[in-house]
Structures are given as C-alpha cells and as structure tokens.
Amino acid sequence: MYERFYEFGLSDEILKSLSDMGFEEPTQIQKLAIPPLMMGRDVIGMAQTGTGKTAAFGIPIVEKNVRGRLRKPCALVLVPTRELAMQVAQEMNRLGKDKGFVSIPIYGGQSIERQIKSLLKRTDLVVGTPGRLIDHIQRKTMLSISSASSRTREETSDSEVSSLVLDEADEMLNMGFIDDIETILRETPPTRQTMLFSATMPQQIVRLSKKYMHSPKKVGVDAKELVVAKIDQVFYEVGQNDKIRALTRILDVQTPALTLIFCHTKREVDDLSGRLHQMGYDAAAIHGDFTQSYREEIMRQFKGGELDILVATDVAARGLDINDVSHVINYSIPQNPEAYVHRIGRTGRAGKSGIAITFVTPREYSQLRLIEKTAGTKIAKGTLPTGKQARKAKEQELAGSLESAIREGRHKELVPLVGELSERFEPQEVAAAALSLAAGDVEEGDIGEASGPRPSNGGSGMTRLFLTIGKKHKFKVAGSPRTWPSRSSPP
C-alpha cells in the first residue's frame, strides 16, 4: 500500500497543493481509493466525514480532468447540503489551484441567475445539491451535462461529464433525494467514471450502485475503529430538567475551544442557544429555518473563533468541516447509531483528538446500548463536575480576565469609583463583591443521577405509582369525585 502522496504518481502541481494544504501523508481512505480511481475504475468508498474522502476523489478528478479553456464541466459532485457544496468546492479549488482547475458550488437558496453566469464561464467541476442540479438540467443551463445514453466510450465527447461523485450518499438518501440522484445519473454519459462515498450502505444505495456503476472496486475504512481511536467518548446520566446545569458545568470546567452541540429539533436548538447566550456564553444556533446568508455568517464566526459554541440540528450540521472542534455534545441522544457516528465525527479531525459527550436519561439507556453495539464501541460513564468545581473554574477564568484588564489599562475609568467605595468598605470587600457579581450564581448542589421516576409533588419519600385500571373497575377520568378511593379504602 502507498504510504506517501508521491508514490501515487501525482503531478508536481498536485503535490505542491497538498503540501500547501498541510497534508503530510495520505489517510487510509486515500490510500485505498486513489490507485483504482487513477486507473479509471468506478469506486465505492465506505468512509465517514472527516476521513479525507474529499481529497480521495478530488485528487484523481483534478489530475485527469483539466481541459484548458473549455467552458464545460468535466465532473460533477452531488452532496446533500449547501454547506457541504461550498466546502467541497473550496477544497477542490485548493487542490487544483496550480493546475488552473475551477470548481463552483450550486445549491438552493442562492440566486439561480448568478449560478447561470458562473456556469457560462470556464468551469471544470460543479459541486451541487440534487434539487438545484435538477433545476439546471431542466433549464438546460448545465451545458453538455447530458448526452445520448447509447454512446460508447470511444464516441463520448471531451466536452461531456466524465466523472460523477455521490458524496455522503446515505445522507442524500435519508433526505429523500433518491429520485433526483437517479435522474442525474441517467442524464450523464453511461461511460462516466462513478464514485460513491457513504458512511453506511443501506439497501437502496446498494441497488443504486448495481444499476449505475461498472464493476466498482469496493474500499472502506472501519468507522468503528476511527471513532474509538480518535475520540474520547463519555456519557452522563442526567434528568431532562438537569441538562442545562450539567452542560454549563462541563463548559465551565473543561473550557473547550470550539463546541458543537446537537439537539433533535429546531425549537430545542433555539431554546438552548438562547439560554446559553443569556447566561453569558458565546453561543449561536444553526438550523434549516435560517437564511443562507445568516448560516454562512454564523459558520464564518464559528470557524474564526468569534463564537465558542454552535448549537445545531443533525441536518444543519451535515457537511461541517472544522478542524478545531474539541467537543461534540449530544444534548439530545442521537435517534440512530449512524447519526451518532456522524455527529461525533465532527471532532477529532485532521489527526487531532476530540471529546464526545452524550446526555442520557434513564429511558434512553436502551438507545445508548444500541449505539454501542452498532458502532462497536464502549462509551464510558462519567461523573459530572460538582458545583464547587464549576465555581472554582469560573473564579480562575475571572482571575485571568482581571489580570488582562489591569495589564491593558481597561480599569482606569473605574478607579475613582473604587476609591469612593473604599471610604465606606474595606478594599478587599469591594474587590470581592465585584468579582462575585461578575461570576454570577453557580448552583453548588450536586446533580443527582436520574435513576428512576422522579418523586411526585407530594414531597420526599413519595413515589409515583401507575395502576392499569379503568372503567370496568368503576374508576372515572381525572377530576371526578370517584377518581381515587379514599385513604381508608383497602388496597
């Protein structure tokens, strides 16, 4: 197996681009996929996000498909989301910059007139979402994307699409794009080289590969090994109402660099990001209801470190590629094992380590065990930081901020006020009171494990009891005088 990029027989331009991008040696999926792709074979790659699969298919495309000044795309990449379209197009341009390779993203929510203008210019590769690509095919603005299905390889024109990539095929399937994908596959020349990359291989993807691919070479990276090797996984058992306290303690004590938090619904995302923002954390939300311009601005801030925390839904986070995410927190446990692998794969990227944290309520233990079994991993049970630890962490953070303020002279305007207060109180008391206000309230009580049903409002020592009784036992609905027997009634 090849261990260095130059062993693939790549051009000097590509090797220089890889060096400029910081790549030192190929990842496992690149070692497996690049050789057969360079030979022109169709390839099915089993690989999750973060394994380097964009370069795995991108390097062969750039090497083989630069056409000088022809204004026709030679390759297509289908992706599930607009974020991934922009990300892949950007990386392809970086790979091909020294070869003059031009890639453009095409996706919904962007002006179609602007996209048409881009397509009329010199374009080597189009990266797009299925729905918007269908729009262009119907408008006949994709130029020579389609051709007669009966053509042989010898008859195929140099102006036609010769390479097609289905990236994150399982996600496109989950989002209902299967019909659009088949339409695009039928519209491209049958002699094209087809590359399919997917973290999982559901039956519909298998059927698609058999119908539209020619003797594909199957390569894969064991996602289970990747998850275990690069990411520290831990779960905390907490009640639903304790999640926000548990989260803030983790954020205060572990002080992650960039944190990606997952919730199930858009409403949960909005509620959580709003509460975190009110509590003084640099947090923002991202989901499908926001405009494209807003989402792009939030991603720019998050990548640039202007935001520490991004709260997202699964759909909105697909395709996010940020190397410095240190923590992924499943505020809501993933609804399926595949989603768990996709979520935590957002950390531990580019060879770095990462931490994946999952909050689990008692009712979700079976889901946790299913995730462990399917992903072939063991998620350790953790102990939440105590209130005292959280308080201490905040005090240390305040001390650092205070030192910076003094060094930079940002406190000068408040010196007279401190002088006035010091005439009535001891200077140490004034300083301590100011720090107390800055620190805010930290609940120091421990967060207990939610090991069973919570006590009812009747007070401690009481447990809610469920009885399977109804009309035939002469019980009526709640609110009726005969709903419950008197205390003197026999059990």
Side-chain angles (χ1 to χ4, degrees):
M1 185 181 293
Y2 300 114
E3 298 296 332
R4 295 290 185 270
F5 281 112
Y6 68 83
E7 295 177 4
F8 294 127
L10 303 178
S11 64
D12 291 340
E13 292 91 343
I14 288 289
L15 292 175
K16 181 178 182 301
S17 295
L18 291 169
S19 177
D20 292 343
M21 294 169 71
F23 289 110
E24 295 182 355
E25 61 182 43
T27 65
Q28 188 70 7
I29 191 62
Q30 292 163 5
K31 293 176 184 178
L32 295 169
I34 291 176
L37 289 175
M38 292 292 289
M39 294 171 61
R41 292 195 61 179
D42 287 2
V43 165
I44 296 175
M46 288 280 289
Q48 69 181 82
T49 300
T51 57
K53 57 185 172 62
T54 301
F57 63 73
I59 289 171
I61 287 176
V62 174
E63 283 284 51
K64 298 169 60 180
N65 292 290
V66 177
R67 291 183 177 160
R69 302 304 299 175
L70 284 176
R71 294 182 178 181
K72 302 183 187 301
C74 57
L76 290 178
V77 179
L78 271 64
V79 295
T81 66
R82 61 190 70 178
E83 285 81 12
L84 189 55
M86 292 185 288
Q87 172 190 312
V88 171
Q90 183 182 36
E91 185 157 354
M92 292 298 294
N93 282 326
R94 293 172 68 194
L95 280 170
K97 65 181 177 66
D98 292 310
K99 276 182 167 285
F101 189 90
V102 178
S103 173
I104 64 169
I106 296 292
Y107 51 84
Q110 184 187 51
S111 167
I112 197 164
E113 287 77 18
R114 185 187 305 169
Q115 292 174 355
I116 292 172
K117 289 181 181 178
S118 297
L119 289 167
L120 290 172
K121 299 176 183 178
R122 158 43 192 318
T123 302
D124 296 299
L125 170 70
V126 171
V127 186
T129 52
R132 181 49 62 96
L133 286 176
I134 292 290
D135 287 344
H136 282 285
I137 290 173
Q138 292 173 344
R139 290 168 178 258
K140 302 187 184 302
T141 52
M142 285 294 291
L143 304 170
S144 297
I145 182 175
S146 61
S147 64
S149 60
S150 60
R151 286 191 180 184
T152 64
R153 182 178 295 274
E154 290 74 19
E155 295 172 325
T156 300
S157 168
D158 284 341
S159 67
E160 293 169 356
V161 169
S162 58
S163 299
L164 175 66
V165 181
L166 304 180
D167 191 14
E168 298 203 5
D170 52 349
E171 295 296 343
M172 288 193 285
L173 173 65
N174 291 338
M175 296 172 72
F177 287 135
I178 187 68
D179 291 337
D180 287 347
I181 291 171
E182 291 208 59
T183 297
I184 294 169
L185 284 166
R186 287 193 297 267
E187 288 290 332
T188 51
T191 53
R192 70 186 177 273
Q193 181 183 21
T194 308
M195 311 163 217
L196 188 155
F197 287 82
S198 184
T200 60
M201 199 59 60
Q203 191 57 41
Q204 278 186 288
I205 299 296
V206 173
R207 182 189 63 80
L208 206 67
S209 66
K210 289 180 179 179
K211 186 176 180 180
Y212 294 101
M213 300 181 76
H214 306 289
S215 303
K217 171 74 173 179
K218 296 180 181 178
V219 299
V221 177
D222 192 339
K224 301 171 186 176
E225 292 181 5
L226 287 170
V227 168
V228 174
K230 297 195 300 181
I231 303 170
D232 292 331
Q233 302 168 81
V234 63
F235 79 90
Y236 297 107
E237 184 182 334
V238 293
Q240 185 66 34
N241 295 333
D242 288 329
K243 282 186 177 182
I244 186 68
R245 279 205 301 157
L247 175 62
T248 54
R249 286 190 183 180
I250 290 169
L251 295 174
D252 290 342
V253 173
Q254 297 190 14
T255 59
L258 292 179
T259 305
L260 185 56
I261 303 175
F262 285 99
C263 297
H264 284 324
T265 67
K266 299 170 187 176
R267 181 174 181 177
E268 288 175 329
V269 167
D270 289 336
D271 289 346
L272 179 58
S273 63
R275 291 185 69 181
L276 288 172
H277 191 73
Q278 289 173 354
M279 297 167 76
Y281 297 92
D282 292 325
I286 184 170
H287 55 64
D289 283 354
F290 292 119
T291 64
Q292 180 61 23
S293 59
Y294 171 84
R295 291 164 69 173
E296 290 176 5
E297 174 60 19
I298 290 298
M299 288 309 305
R300 184 196 66 77
Q301 293 179 21
F302 190 55
K303 288 182 178 181
E306 297 174 41
L307 285 173
D308 298 327
I309 302 165
L310 185 62
V311 188
T313 56
D314 285 309
V315 172
R318 285 174 186 147
L320 297 187
D321 187 11
I322 305 167
N323 290 337
D324 295 325
V325 173
S326 61
H327 287 58
V328 167
I329 299 177
N330 295 308
Y331 194 80
S332 304
I333 192 170
Q335 295 176 320
N336 59 71
E338 289 78 15
Y340 178 80
V341 173
H342 275 288
R343 284 184 180 186
I344 72 171
R346 307 299 167 185
T347 186
R349 303 172 80 89
K352 299 178 181 178
S353 60
I355 297 173
I357 294 170
T358 302
F359 290 158
V360 179
T361 65
R363 293 182 180 181
E364 295 168 337
Y365 256 93
S366 59
Q367 181 68 8
L368 178 71
R369 299 308 173 207
L370 177 62
I371 289 171
E372 287 183 319
K373 181 179 179 180
T374 305
T377 186
K378 182 66 177 176
I379 306 173
K381 185 176 183 179
T383 301
L384 284 166
T386 65
K388 290 182 178 180
Q389 289 173 319
R391 183 77 185 188
K392 184 65 176 177
K394 275 206 167 184
E395 290 173 357
Q396 291 175 343
E397 182 182 4
L398 275 172
S401 299
L402 188 63
E403 183 176 346
S404 297
I406 294 173
R407 290 180 182 277
E408 296 170 12
R410 286 182 278 138
H411 66 298
K412 297 293 187 182
E413 293 181 0
L414 294 174
V415 169
L417 176 61
V418 173
E420 292 177 13
L421 291 169
S422 296
E423 292 176 1
R424 290 179 285 162
F425 306 99
E426 291 293 328
Q428 286 185 330
E429 293 290 327
V430 174
L435 286 172
S436 176
L437 290 173
D441 295 328
V442 177
E443 297 182 47
E444 297 193 2
D446 289 338
I447 300 173
E449 293 182 357
S451 57
R454 289 182 174 275
S456 69
N457 291 335
S460 61
M462 299 184 67
T463 302
R464 184 176 298 170
L465 178 65
F466 295 90
L467 302 176
T468 54
I469 55 179
K471 288 184 178 179
K472 70 177 183 178
H473 301 97
K474 301 185 185 299
F475 277 80
K476 293 185 179 180
V477 296
S480 166
R482 294 182 58 193
T483 298
W484 301 107
S486 66
R487 291 184 179 271
S488 60
S489 301

